[in-house]
Amino acid sequence: MKRKINAISFTPKYDELEDRVRISINYDDLHNRIDFMMTRAFVIRLFPTVGDYMLEFYNLNLVVPTKTHTNNNVEKIIKDTNSTSRTDGTNLELYKQEDELLIEVKFSYNRETKMSIVQFHSKNSEVTSRLDENAMKQVFTIIKSAIPFFSWGISHNI
């Protein structure tokens, strides 16, 4: 039986040892935390789909600038919204869970509420999050900012 939780927070970080992007869902909640790992191949499939989805339903392009400017732009996203905050590095490591390979992300859109339901799936877990336009942009921009574009040999425009 799959473990099902609701996502409250998303904390991405590139894991050099695993050469994968870790997305810690609810990083500071011991009982509702899941650590997903995204492979390079998964990233290459996911972000064009996210981009198409954002254009279709929100008329937005999801762009992350080159690495030299990424930190400043992520800082701007954090400053411009009340729904993002700094990660407590101690809790990030203290509550770390067993890594689960992210195998699927599903999107659905409610035209009445203009909200998206995003589901992240691994073999053992399912995480669901209800996001508005701004939250969608924030979540996927911050996840995208953790991608090591140069070392993975992929474009920032993916």
Side-chain angles (χ1 to χ4, degrees), residues 4-106:
K4 296 182 179 189
I5 65 166
N6 290 321
I8 306 300
S9 66
F10 296 83
T11 307
K13 184 178 181 182
Y14 175 65
D15 185 321
E16 288 186 45
L17 181 63
E18 293 287 334
D19 193 29
R20 296 180 179 185
V21 174
R22 174 189 314 277
I23 303 172
S24 297
I25 308 290
N26 304 334
Y27 82 94
D28 59 351
D29 182 348
L30 180 62
H31 301 292
N32 292 302
R33 176 173 173 167
I34 293 179
D35 289 323
F36 287 126
M37 295 296 266
M38 283 194 324
T39 63
R40 176 184 177 274
F42 190 84
V43 165
I44 290 171
R45 289 190 315 270
L46 175 64
F47 277 94
T49 303
V50 171
D52 291 345
Y53 182 88
M54 295 295 285
L55 274 174
E56 181 177 348
F57 295 106
Y58 298 115
N59 199 26
L60 289 174
N61 279 318
L62 188 64
V63 177
V64 173
T66 59
K67 209 54 164 168
T68 57
H69 297 98
T70 299
N71 290 341
N72 292 338
N73 287 313
V74 171
E75 292 295 326
K76 184 177 181 337
I77 290 168
I78 290 170
K79 288 177 185 172
D80 289 349
T81 178
N82 293 328
S83 62
T84 58
S85 61
R86 291 212 171 274
T87 300
D88 178 345
T90 304
N91 284 351
L92 184 62
E93 292 304 316
L94 180 64
Y95 297 144
K96 186 176 177 183
Q97 301 289 311
E98 182 178 328
D99 298 328
E100 297 190 33
L101 188 62
L102 187 61
I103 56 175
E104 184 178 39
V105 178
K106 294 181 180 179

